[in-house]
């Protein structure tokens, strides 16, 4: 594909493994088949977990410096293949090629480099307590299963794979069935970097089959999942039967709160950015909540800016909005839009597929007047669909922002520093961006509140999850 040879078999125990069954991988750009992908079931899941278990001892006992050096070599391999990885992922999931080349694939390499360095910075020295000596140890937990979504497959996979490997765990990755190809390429990059056979395995398949077999496997020590709330509950239930710890990053319905004292240019620019990746971003501030006195000026400028967005083939440099991932997903997004109109919300612009482009292209959409508590205000659409609400007072803004079951992120724009402190403290969210958006310090904690997830990752928080943190307390020697 795109002149690049990619294996469609699994990667287990350092070798390619086929399956008797397969599933079709379609490109969202034109809905044409890309390849037939090996389709795993319980037997392949068992084989991958066994391979990971066999490799976990040697990899986990390798000195931290050696593990860190291996992760840096993986990052080198990713950086050398950024153009190929970007081209494949764009064809596979429809994301903008320029974003893949310029930021997403470089972030993949950064994930490996950061956690390699973080491993060497972990606190391991001794400290005293009433004459006793205490020493912290970060022991590998064993086998980690990572299950990732299709909207940024490789970047979101390595956000979990990199710290798990750094902690000394062996990993089984189940990539998304709608965009699995860059995970296959990563397996080869890791192998070429010298990662021991079995320390990283890729099992391709359907969530209800391969994913279910992996999350319920009794010989798995950690499960990290990114995806929908509904699937997250199933993952937690399956892992819970074995008391396997889980880290869940789930859906979002993030508020974008703007006060009238904010920079209107910045507010409009950032609000339009919420259409990024065709709205297929869990962190997106899809609920625009603006102070009533700025509503008219904001709406006029927002409609103008959104109307200028270029929609089309994501491989074209000028394109700003590409397709949705599958026909099934487009119909799901359109279902939300149609039900919102029935419930009384009014479409300002958009409101359906882009007839001129056909295929999976959905027009950027804005709703106003949605009734309080309606589905369009309370459930994640995961498409280019925003809503606009207004408020009069600060407390009303906070109540509107916190009026869903989610708590992944929030965006706040204001020119008042004291207000920024008050409101950000009151917002229920794992991350609050004040006068900015999508700033990611990999050392900072990341995760969701309420229905948006369980746990925090990033920096030392990742090692808290992927390692068994141990305290060795020693009496004074006489």
């Amino acid at each position: 594909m795109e002149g690049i040879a990619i294996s469609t078999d699994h990667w287990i125990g350092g070798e390619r493994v086929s399956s008797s069954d397969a599933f079709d991988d379609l490109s969202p750009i034109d809905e044409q088949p890309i390849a037939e992908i090996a389709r795993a079931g319980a037997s392949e899941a068992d084989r991958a977990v066994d391979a990971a278990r066999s490799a976990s001892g040697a990899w986990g006992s390798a000195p931290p410096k050696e593990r860190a050096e291996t992760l840096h070599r993986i990052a080198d391999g990713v950086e050398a293949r950024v153009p190929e990885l970007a081209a494949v992922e764009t064809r596979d999931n429809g994301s903008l090629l320029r974003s893949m080349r310029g930021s997403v694939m470089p972030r993949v390499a950064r994930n490996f480099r950061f956690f390699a360095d973080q491993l060497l910075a972990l606190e391991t020295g001794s400290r005293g307590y009433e004459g006793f000596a205490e020493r912290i140890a970060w022991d590998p937990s064993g086998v980690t299963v990572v299950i990732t979504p299709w909207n940024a497959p490789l970047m979101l996979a390595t956000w979990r794979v990199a710290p798990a490997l750094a902690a000394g765990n062996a990993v089984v990755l189940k990539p998304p069935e709608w965009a699995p190809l860059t995970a296959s390429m990563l397996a080869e990059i890791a192998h070429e970097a010298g990662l021991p056979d079995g320390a990283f395995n890729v099992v391709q398949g359907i969530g209800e089959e391969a994913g279910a077999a992996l999350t319920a496997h009794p010989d798995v020590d950690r499960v990290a999942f990114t995806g929908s709330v509904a699937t997250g509950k199933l993952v937690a239930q399956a892992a819970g039967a074995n008391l396997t710890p889980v880290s869940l990053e789930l859906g979002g319905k993030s508020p974008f709160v703007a006060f009238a004292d904010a920079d209107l240019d910045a507010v409009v620019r950032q609000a339009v950015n919420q259409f990024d990746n065709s709205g297929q971003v869990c962190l997106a501030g899809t609920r625009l909540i603006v102070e009533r006195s700025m509503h008219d000026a904001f709406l006029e400028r927002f409609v103008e800016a959104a109307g200028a967005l270029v929609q089309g083939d994501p491989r074209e440099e000028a394109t700003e909005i590409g397709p949705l991932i599958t026909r099934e997903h487009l119909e799901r997004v359109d279902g939300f839009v149609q039900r919102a109109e029935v419930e009384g919300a009014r479409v300002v612009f958009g409101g359906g597929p882009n007839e001129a482009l056909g295929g999976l292209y959905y027009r950027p959409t804005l709703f106003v007047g949605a009734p309080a508590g309606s589905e369009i205000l309370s459930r994640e659409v995961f498409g280019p669909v925003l809503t606009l609400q207004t408020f009069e007072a600060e407390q009303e803004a906070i109540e509107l922002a916190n009026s869903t079951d989610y708590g992944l992120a929030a965006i706040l724009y204001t020119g008042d520093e004291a207000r920024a402190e008050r409101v950000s403290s009151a917002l229920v969210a794992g991350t609050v961006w004040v006068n900015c958006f999508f700033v990611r310090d990999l050392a900072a904690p990341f995760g969701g509140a309420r229905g948006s997830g369980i746990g925090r990752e990033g920096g030392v928080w990742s090692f808290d999850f992927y390692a068994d943190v141990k305290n060795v307390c020693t009496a004074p020697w006489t």
Side-chain angles (χ1 to χ4, degrees):
M1 189 180 69
E2 308 289 353
I4 303 159
I6 308 159
S7 174
T8 59
D9 286 334
H10 315 291
W11 178 263
I12 300 175
E15 62 182 8
R16 289 295 176 184
V17 175
S18 61
S19 290
S20 59
D21 199 3
F23 62 92
D24 289 330
D25 182 21
L26 307 180
S27 173
I29 296 174
D30 52 16
E31 296 186 90
Q32 293 303 303
I34 297 174
E36 289 188 343
I37 310 296
R39 181 171 180 165
S43 62
E44 291 91 345
D46 287 342
R47 182 170 175 176
V49 172
D50 289 346
R53 179 60 64 194
S54 297
S56 62
W59 175 245
S61 62
K65 185 174 184 295
E66 182 179 318
R67 298 202 302 266
E69 289 171 349
T70 302
L71 265 61
H72 274 292
R73 289 196 297 272
I74 295 174
D76 292 340
V78 169
E79 288 176 344
R81 299 188 68 180
V82 160
E84 295 180 14
L85 291 165
V88 170
E89 190 138 300
T90 291
R91 183 70 172 155
D92 206 13
N93 89 329
S95 295
L96 299 184
L97 179 58
R98 57 184 169 83
S99 295
M100 291 292 109
R101 285 194 309 247
S103 60
V104 178
M105 292 307 163
R107 163 69 189 278
V108 171
R110 183 177 165 223
N111 283 341
F112 283 105
R113 294 202 192 283
F114 172 82
F115 286 108
D117 295 339
Q118 184 70 51
L119 168 63
L120 301 181
L122 292 174
E123 179 188 355
T124 57
S126 296
R127 55 188 179 184
Y129 174 71
E130 296 184 355
F132 295 81
E134 292 183 314
R135 177 175 56 84
I136 298 171
W138 303 81
D139 293 348
S141 61
V143 175
T144 295
V145 165
V146 177
I147 301 177
T148 51
W150 43 263
N151 57 323
L154 193 59
M155 187 272 283
L156 291 176
T158 56
W159 167 243
R160 261 68 185 272
V161 169
L165 289 174
N169 298 343
V171 175
V172 180
L173 169 64
K174 208 292 283 185
E177 55 263 38
W178 288 348
L181 294 177
T182 49
S184 181
M185 299 171 70
L186 178 64
E188 295 175 355
I189 291 171
H191 180 69
E192 292 166 1
L195 189 68
D197 293 345
F200 179 59
N201 307 273
V202 177
V203 176
Q204 301 158 151
I206 309 303
E208 296 86 345
E209 300 168 359
L214 289 170
T215 56
H217 202 289
D219 207 23
V220 167
D221 301 290
R222 296 290 189 275
V223 173
F225 171 80
T226 304
S228 70
V229 175
T231 305
K233 291 179 179 179
L234 296 176
V235 169
Q237 289 170 1
N242 300 309
L243 289 181
T244 304
V246 297
S247 176
L248 304 177
E249 183 199 329
L250 306 179
K253 190 72 174 175
S254 301
F256 184 118
V257 180
F259 285 86
D261 58 10
D263 180 339
L264 183 58
D265 289 338
V267 171
V268 171
R269 182 171 59 251
Q270 205 62 268
V272 173
N273 283 345
Q274 305 312 303
F275 287 125
D276 183 46
N277 203 30
S278 300
Q280 299 169 131
V281 179
C282 57
L283 296 166
T286 57
R287 294 183 295 130
L288 307 177
I289 303 171
V290 305
E291 193 164 358
R292 192 179 306 278
S293 61
M294 72 182 296
H295 170 271
D296 292 349
F298 168 81
L299 183 58
E300 179 182 359
R301 295 175 63 173
F302 179 76
V303 170
E304 180 182 3
L309 291 172
V310 177
Q311 188 168 33
D313 190 321
R315 296 167 295 188
E316 299 293 333
E317 195 69 21
T319 298
E320 295 168 290
I321 297 184
L324 296 179
I325 185 69
T326 64
R327 176 65 52 180
E328 174 187 340
H329 188 59
L330 181 141
E331 291 172 354
R332 178 183 180 275
V333 170
D334 195 48
F336 273 102
V337 170
Q338 293 183 37
R339 292 191 298 273
E341 291 189 87
V342 171
E343 287 188 312
R346 180 171 63 86
V347 173
V348 177
F349 59 79
N354 189 327
E355 298 85 356
L357 295 175
L360 302 181
Y361 295 87
Y362 204 89
R363 291 179 291 159
T365 299
L366 176 67
F367 277 107
V368 296
S374 60
E375 181 188 57
I376 199 66
L377 293 176
S378 58
R379 304 263 54 91
E380 183 179 44
V381 178
F382 218 61
V385 179
L386 308 183
T387 60
L388 177 60
Q389 298 168 277
T390 61
F391 65 90
E392 293 280 4
E394 185 177 298
Q395 185 58 36
E396 184 184 4
I398 294 169
E399 290 172 359
L400 287 172
N402 290 340
S403 63
T404 74
D405 297 331
Y406 299 94
L408 187 56
I411 303 165
L412 170 63
Y413 269 79
T414 178
D416 186 326
E417 187 174 350
R419 171 182 283 145
E421 180 65 26
R422 288 193 307 271
V423 176
S424 62
S425 297
L427 294 175
V428 179
T431 300
V432 179
W433 283 289
V434 180
N435 295 337
C436 60
F437 177 58
F438 227 37
V439 178
R440 286 290 289 116
D441 176 3
L442 299 189
F446 179 81
R450 291 178 174 167
S452 289
I454 295 174
R456 294 292 182 272
E457 294 194 39
V460 73
W461 287 272
S462 288
F463 289 91
D464 279 344
F465 177 69
Y466 294 109
D468 285 324
V469 185
K470 180 168 62 182
N471 181 37
V472 179
C473 183
T474 305
W477 293 98
T478 59

PDB file of all heavy atoms in Angstrom, residues 4 33 50 97 110 112 183 186 199 204 216 241 302 356 363 392 422:
ATOM      1  N   ILE A   4       4.400   0.605  -0.016  1.00  0.00           N
ATOM      2  CA  ILE A   4       5.022   0.089   1.205  1.00  0.00           C
ATOM      3  C   ILE A   4       4.497  -1.321   1.468  1.00  0.00           C
ATOM      4  O   ILE A   4       3.280  -1.551   1.456  1.00  0.00           O
ATOM      5  CB  ILE A   4       4.700   0.997   2.404  1.00  0.00           C
ATOM      6  CG1 ILE A   4       5.152   2.429   2.120  1.00  0.00           C
ATOM      7  CG2 ILE A   4       5.338   0.465   3.687  1.00  0.00           C
ATOM      8  CD1 ILE A   4       4.468   3.468   2.961  1.00  0.00           C
ATOM      9  N   PRO A  33     -11.354  -1.653  -0.444  1.00  0.00           N
ATOM     10  CA  PRO A  33     -10.562  -2.580   0.375  1.00  0.00           C
ATOM     11  C   PRO A  33      -9.071  -2.303   0.248  1.00  0.00           C
ATOM     12  O   PRO A  33      -8.565  -2.035  -0.848  1.00  0.00           O
ATOM     13  CB  PRO A  33     -10.915  -3.956  -0.200  1.00  0.00           C
ATOM     14  CG  PRO A  33     -12.185  -3.763  -0.954  1.00  0.00           C
ATOM     15  CD  PRO A  33     -12.149  -2.351  -1.466  1.00  0.00           C
ATOM     16  N   ASP A  50       1.040 -16.389  26.049  1.00  0.00           N
ATOM     17  CA  ASP A  50       2.103 -17.331  26.405  1.00  0.00           C
ATOM     18  C   ASP A  50       3.472 -16.813  25.974  1.00  0.00           C
ATOM     19  O   ASP A  50       4.457 -16.922  26.719  1.00  0.00           O
ATOM     20  CB  ASP A  50       1.844 -18.695  25.751  1.00  0.00           C
ATOM     21  CG  ASP A  50       0.676 -19.443  26.379  1.00  0.00           C
ATOM     22  OD1 ASP A  50       0.244 -19.040  27.481  1.00  0.00           O
ATOM     23  OD2 ASP A  50       0.183 -20.396  25.762  1.00  0.00           O
ATOM     24  N   LEU A  97      -2.918  13.799   6.261  1.00  0.00           N
ATOM     25  CA  LEU A  97      -1.545  13.368   6.047  1.00  0.00           C
ATOM     26  C   LEU A  97      -0.553  14.368   6.634  1.00  0.00           C
ATOM     27  O   LEU A  97       0.455  13.977   7.239  1.00  0.00           O
ATOM     28  CB  LEU A  97      -1.290  13.178   4.551  1.00  0.00           C
ATOM     29  CG  LEU A  97       0.126  12.738   4.160  1.00  0.00           C
ATOM     30  CD1 LEU A  97       0.509  11.432   4.833  1.00  0.00           C
ATOM     31  CD2 LEU A  97       0.242  12.610   2.630  1.00  0.00           C
ATOM     32  N   ARG A 110       8.345  10.244  20.276  1.00  0.00           N
ATOM     33  CA  ARG A 110       8.492  10.953  21.552  1.00  0.00           C
ATOM     34  C   ARG A 110       7.967  10.117  22.713  1.00  0.00           C
ATOM     35  O   ARG A 110       8.524  10.150  23.815  1.00  0.00           O
ATOM     36  CB  ARG A 110       7.746  12.285  21.474  1.00  0.00           C
ATOM     37  CG  ARG A 110       7.878  13.155  22.710  1.00  0.00           C
ATOM     38  CD  ARG A 110       7.177  14.488  22.513  1.00  0.00           C
ATOM     39  NE  ARG A 110       6.998  15.178  23.779  1.00  0.00           N
ATOM     40  CZ  ARG A 110       5.888  15.798  24.140  1.00  0.00           C
ATOM     41  NH1 ARG A 110       4.835  15.808  23.313  1.00  0.00           N
ATOM     42  NH2 ARG A 110       5.790  16.407  25.293  1.00  0.00           N
ATOM     43  N   PHE A 112       8.178   6.906  23.105  1.00  0.00           N
ATOM     44  CA  PHE A 112       9.228   5.961  23.489  1.00  0.00           C
ATOM     45  C   PHE A 112      10.389   6.670  24.177  1.00  0.00           C
ATOM     46  O   PHE A 112      10.910   6.188  25.194  1.00  0.00           O
ATOM     47  CB  PHE A 112       9.725   5.196  22.265  1.00  0.00           C
ATOM     48  CG  PHE A 112       8.786   4.111  21.815  1.00  0.00           C
ATOM     49  CD1 PHE A 112       7.994   4.282  20.690  1.00  0.00           C
ATOM     50  CD2 PHE A 112       8.681   2.928  22.525  1.00  0.00           C
ATOM     51  CE1 PHE A 112       7.125   3.284  20.277  1.00  0.00           C
ATOM     52  CE2 PHE A 112       7.809   1.922  22.125  1.00  0.00           C
ATOM     53  CZ  PHE A 112       7.024   2.105  20.994  1.00  0.00           C
ATOM     54  N   ALA A 183       0.281  -0.722  13.432  1.00  0.00           N
ATOM     55  CA  ALA A 183       0.714  -1.594  14.535  1.00  0.00           C
ATOM     56  C   ALA A 183       1.584  -2.725  13.996  1.00  0.00           C
ATOM     57  O   ALA A 183       2.578  -3.126  14.628  1.00  0.00           O
ATOM     58  CB  ALA A 183      -0.493  -2.159  15.269  1.00  0.00           C
ATOM     59  N   LEU A 186       4.948  -1.307  13.413  1.00  0.00           N
ATOM     60  CA  LEU A 186       5.664  -1.081  14.669  1.00  0.00           C
ATOM     61  C   LEU A 186       6.325  -2.363  15.163  1.00  0.00           C
ATOM     62  O   LEU A 186       7.423  -2.323  15.727  1.00  0.00           O
ATOM     63  CB  LEU A 186       4.711  -0.535  15.723  1.00  0.00           C
ATOM     64  CG  LEU A 186       5.320  -0.289  17.114  1.00  0.00           C
ATOM     65  CD1 LEU A 186       6.397   0.797  17.033  1.00  0.00           C
ATOM     66  CD2 LEU A 186       4.244   0.111  18.121  1.00  0.00           C
ATOM     67  N   ALA A 199       8.501  -9.956  23.672  1.00  0.00           N
ATOM     68  CA  ALA A 199       8.289  -8.794  24.543  1.00  0.00           C
ATOM     69  C   ALA A 199       7.222  -7.864  23.977  1.00  0.00           C
ATOM     70  O   ALA A 199       6.586  -7.112  24.723  1.00  0.00           O
ATOM     71  CB  ALA A 199       9.586  -8.029  24.742  1.00  0.00           C
ATOM     72  N   GLN A 204      -4.253  -9.152  15.809  1.00  0.00           N
ATOM     73  CA  GLN A 204      -5.282  -8.426  15.082  1.00  0.00           C
ATOM     74  C   GLN A 204      -6.598  -9.180  15.166  1.00  0.00           C
ATOM     75  O   GLN A 204      -6.618 -10.406  15.166  1.00  0.00           O
ATOM     76  CB  GLN A 204      -4.857  -8.272  13.615  1.00  0.00           C
ATOM     77  CG  GLN A 204      -3.541  -7.531  13.462  1.00  0.00           C
ATOM     78  CD  GLN A 204      -2.839  -7.803  12.148  1.00  0.00           C
ATOM     79  OE1 GLN A 204      -2.126  -6.952  11.656  1.00  0.00           O
ATOM     80  NE2 GLN A 204      -3.020  -8.980  11.580  1.00  0.00           N
ATOM     81  N   ALA A 216     -10.051 -11.086  29.247  1.00  0.00           N
ATOM     82  CA  ALA A 216     -10.506 -12.078  30.229  1.00  0.00           C
ATOM     83  C   ALA A 216      -9.438 -13.120  30.532  1.00  0.00           C
ATOM     84  O   ALA A 216      -9.684 -14.030  31.336  1.00  0.00           O
ATOM     85  CB  ALA A 216     -11.766 -12.777  29.714  1.00  0.00           C
ATOM     86  N   ALA A 241     -12.928 -10.182  36.796  1.00  0.00           N
ATOM     87  CA  ALA A 241     -13.098 -11.580  37.198  1.00  0.00           C
ATOM     88  C   ALA A 241     -11.778 -12.188  37.650  1.00  0.00           C
ATOM     89  O   ALA A 241     -11.764 -13.139  38.456  1.00  0.00           O
ATOM     90  CB  ALA A 241     -13.672 -12.384  36.031  1.00  0.00           C
ATOM     91  N   PHE A 302     -17.793  32.633  14.038  1.00  0.00           N
ATOM     92  CA  PHE A 302     -17.599  31.185  14.028  1.00  0.00           C
ATOM     93  C   PHE A 302     -18.167  30.571  12.755  1.00  0.00           C
ATOM     94  O   PHE A 302     -17.539  29.726  12.110  1.00  0.00           O
ATOM     95  CB  PHE A 302     -18.250  30.557  15.259  1.00  0.00           C
ATOM     96  CG  PHE A 302     -18.119  29.060  15.324  1.00  0.00           C
ATOM     97  CD1 PHE A 302     -16.912  28.465  15.696  1.00  0.00           C
ATOM     98  CD2 PHE A 302     -19.189  28.234  15.022  1.00  0.00           C
ATOM     99  CE1 PHE A 302     -16.786  27.084  15.747  1.00  0.00           C
ATOM    100  CE2 PHE A 302     -19.073  26.855  15.076  1.00  0.00           C
ATOM    101  CZ  PHE A 302     -17.867  26.278  15.435  1.00  0.00           C
ATOM    102  N   ALA A 356     -21.600  16.684  -2.152  1.00  0.00           N
ATOM    103  CA  ALA A 356     -20.671  16.976  -3.240  1.00  0.00           C
ATOM    104  C   ALA A 356     -19.501  16.003  -3.258  1.00  0.00           C
ATOM    105  O   ALA A 356     -18.976  15.662  -4.328  1.00  0.00           O
ATOM    106  CB  ALA A 356     -20.155  18.409  -3.118  1.00  0.00           C
ATOM    107  N   ARG A 363     -20.514  16.838   6.734  1.00  0.00           N
ATOM    108  CA  ARG A 363     -20.315  18.278   6.838  1.00  0.00           C
ATOM    109  C   ARG A 363     -20.175  18.723   8.297  1.00  0.00           C
ATOM    110  O   ARG A 363     -20.913  18.245   9.163  1.00  0.00           O
ATOM    111  CB  ARG A 363     -21.487  19.017   6.204  1.00  0.00           C
ATOM    112  CG  ARG A 363     -21.555  18.887   4.677  1.00  0.00           C
ATOM    113  CD  ARG A 363     -22.753  19.633   4.132  1.00  0.00           C
ATOM    114  NE  ARG A 363     -24.015  18.981   4.523  1.00  0.00           N
ATOM    115  CZ  ARG A 363     -25.201  19.585   4.543  1.00  0.00           C
ATOM    116  NH1 ARG A 363     -25.301  20.864   4.235  1.00  0.00           N
ATOM    117  NH2 ARG A 363     -26.276  18.916   4.874  1.00  0.00           N
ATOM    118  N   GLU A 392     -25.460  33.347  31.597  1.00  0.00           N
ATOM    119  CA  GLU A 392     -25.422  34.722  32.099  1.00  0.00           C
ATOM    120  C   GLU A 392     -24.380  34.899  33.198  1.00  0.00           C
ATOM    121  O   GLU A 392     -23.671  35.899  33.238  1.00  0.00           O
ATOM    122  CB  GLU A 392     -26.799  35.123  32.644  1.00  0.00           C
ATOM    123  CG  GLU A 392     -27.884  35.229  31.591  1.00  0.00           C
ATOM    124  CD  GLU A 392     -27.835  36.543  30.827  1.00  0.00           C
ATOM    125  OE1 GLU A 392     -26.910  37.341  31.077  1.00  0.00           O
ATOM    126  OE2 GLU A 392     -28.718  36.773  29.982  1.00  0.00           O
ATOM    127  N   ARG A 422     -10.957  30.010  39.772  1.00  0.00           N
ATOM    128  CA  ARG A 422     -12.216  29.553  40.384  1.00  0.00           C
ATOM    129  C   ARG A 422     -12.913  28.509  39.502  1.00  0.00           C
ATOM    130  O   ARG A 422     -13.323  27.446  39.975  1.00  0.00           O
ATOM    131  CB  ARG A 422     -13.171  30.739  40.597  1.00  0.00           C
ATOM    132  CG  ARG A 422     -12.791  31.698  41.683  1.00  0.00           C
ATOM    133  CD  ARG A 422     -13.963  32.629  42.000  1.00  0.00           C
ATOM    134  NE  ARG A 422     -14.503  33.319  40.824  1.00  0.00           N
ATOM    135  CZ  ARG A 422     -14.058  34.486  40.369  1.00  0.00           C
ATOM    136  NH1 ARG A 422     -13.058  35.101  40.983  1.00  0.00           N
ATOM    137  NH2 ARG A 422     -14.623  35.059  39.308  1.00  0.00           N
TER     138      ARG A 422
END
